[in-house]
Amino acid sequence: MASQWHTLVSQKLFLAKTLLARVEQDAAATAPEREAQLQGAIELLLRARKLLLVMIARCHQNKADRPASVDELEALLPYPIAEAETLRELSETSGNWWQHLNQLEAAAAEPPKTRKTVTEENIIAVSTDQGPDRSVQALNKILAAMTVLAREIDEQHSEW
């Protein structure tokens, strides 16, 4: 059963990878097309992360619940599991793919910030805060890390 969930997680990651490759290859893409591809890839990565939590729950014989966070995953199981500890560490450590996805999710749920125009009169201080890195390279790093973790979990539970 866990293998079916691994297949679903892998499918979402593959589709995200396909969109990211399209962003890199299609130089003629318009700005809205590029934005749609980036947002689609981000949404697929976020969906894969949620499905990864469900996959872990299924690996530990929870056949009904769909945890949406590490806290929910831990609350479902009557005993501590290594996967939850790994995810907890990721969720609490800055600079990794889990945190990057948190930032991307938060940014996607907010309207764009209004920016002041730069003129000679107000050039004293200009903020360069543009949100989380949405570059293809950064998203590919997330994708690679998620792929490795999902594969490791699936292989570990396939041995049993």
Side-chain angles (χ1 to χ4, degrees), residues 70-125:
V70 177
D71 290 334
E72 288 180 22
L73 176 65
E74 290 175 326
L76 291 176
L77 303 172
Y79 49 87
I81 60 170
E83 296 93 334
E85 290 176 23
T86 299
L87 296 179
R88 169 72 54 209
E89 186 177 318
L90 283 170
S91 71
E92 294 174 350
T93 307
S94 63
N96 61 51
W97 64 269
W98 191 277
Q99 288 291 320
H100 194 170
L101 280 176
N102 286 344
Q103 294 167 358
L104 290 167
E105 185 174 35
E110 294 290 327
K113 293 182 181 175
T114 306
R115 299 199 180 273
K116 284 188 169 183
T117 56
V118 178
T119 64
E120 291 286 331
E121 298 158 1
N122 68 0
I123 200 159
I124 297 169

Side-chain angles (χ1 to χ4, degrees), residues 11 13 16 25 35 68 70 94 98 117 120 129-130 159:
Q11 177 192 56
L13 294 173
Q25 294 168 354
E35 182 64 20
V70 177
S94 63
W98 191 277
T117 56
E120 291 286 331
D129 179 26
Q130 297 179 2
E159 293 173 1

Side-chain angles (χ1 to χ4, degrees), residues 1 4 26 28-29 38-39 48 59 62-63 72 78 80-82 84 94 108 115 118 130-131 137 142 151 153 155:
M1 174 111 176
Q4 293 172 329
D26 194 0
L38 282 174
Q39 284 192 28
C59 287
N62 183 307
K63 298 187 187 318
E72 288 180 22
I81 60 170
S94 63
R115 299 199 180 273
V118 178
Q130 297 179 2
Q137 295 78 14
I142 292 171
R151 187 178 307 122
I153 291 169
E155 288 174 0

Side-chain angles (χ1 to χ4, degrees), residues 12 34 73:
K12 300 305 178 205
R34 179 178 165 80
L73 176 65

